[in-house]
């Protein structure tokens, strides 16, 4: 059974940093496409960044240069380092995956396993 458990969310001031974690069980983060999504109140869930097994990444324009995705295969954990946070980054952040080695775009329909989310709140 695939389980993805996010942690690391919290409240920070604008300009601050947070690191989110997504611990996987019953699944190997090194073997498949992994991604982070977010959903703000009243808005649709949107893709933030994905990482394929070859290390190639795709970032949303809104976070490029501020967020960094990484994996620790030994810990079977996915990370999202978020720097220079802005109030518009406030959202529930979700870890997601699909059983393909490459990633085929940051659309929610491309992913079929999801975590429960962790809340990030950025105040101005």
């Amino acid at each position: 059974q695939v389980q993805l458990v996010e942690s690391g969310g919290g409240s920070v001031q604008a300009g601050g940093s947070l690191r989110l974690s997504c611990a996987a069980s019953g699944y190997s983060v090194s073997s498949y496409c992994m991604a982070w999504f977010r959903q703000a109140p009243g808005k649709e869930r949107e893709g933030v960044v994905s990482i394929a097994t070859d290390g190639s990444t795709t970032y949303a324009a809104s976070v490029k240069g501020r967020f960094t995705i990484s994996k620790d295969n030994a810990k079977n954990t996915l990370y999202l380092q978020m720097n220079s946070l802005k109030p518009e980054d406030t959202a529930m952040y979700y870890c997601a995956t699909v059983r393909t080695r490459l990633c085929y775009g940051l659309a929610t329909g491309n992913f079929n396993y999801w975590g429960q989310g962790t809340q990030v709140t950025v105040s101005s």
Side-chain angles (χ1 to χ4, degrees):
Q1 182 179 358
V2 177
Q3 277 197 317
L4 303 173
V5 180
E6 301 96 333
S7 61
S11 297
V12 296
Q13 290 194 325
S17 298
L18 282 173
R19 188 178 80 154
L20 307 184
S21 299
C22 171
S25 59
Y27 196 81
S28 173
V29 301
S30 64
S31 299
Y32 302 106
C33 168
M34 303 292 299
W36 288 97
F37 284 74
R38 66 186 182 186
Q39 187 167 19
K43 294 189 176 181
E44 291 189 354
R45 192 169 297 189
E46 64 175 0
V48 175
V49 57
S50 65
I51 184 166
T53 57
D54 63 0
S56 58
T57 56
T58 299
Y59 286 88
S62 59
V63 306
K64 206 165 188 178
R66 300 188 298 121
F67 291 10
T68 304
I69 191 171
S70 63
K71 293 188 291 185
D72 185 328
N73 294 335
K75 295 183 177 179
N76 209 27
T77 300
L78 180 74
Y79 299 101
L80 182 66
Q81 178 66 44
M82 304 186 296
N83 299 327
S84 302
L85 282 161
K86 304 175 181 181
E88 51 263 44
D89 295 318
T90 295
M92 185 73 78
Y93 282 72
Y94 299 90
C95 173
T97 187
V98 59
R99 290 188 188 272
T100 60
R101 298 186 71 80
L102 297 179
C103 300
Y104 298 99
L106 284 168
T108 55
N110 291 349
F111 296 82
N112 50 13
Y113 296 104
W114 296 83
Q116 84 290 345
T118 186
Q119 178 67 38
V120 171
T121 302
V122 185
S123 59
S124 56

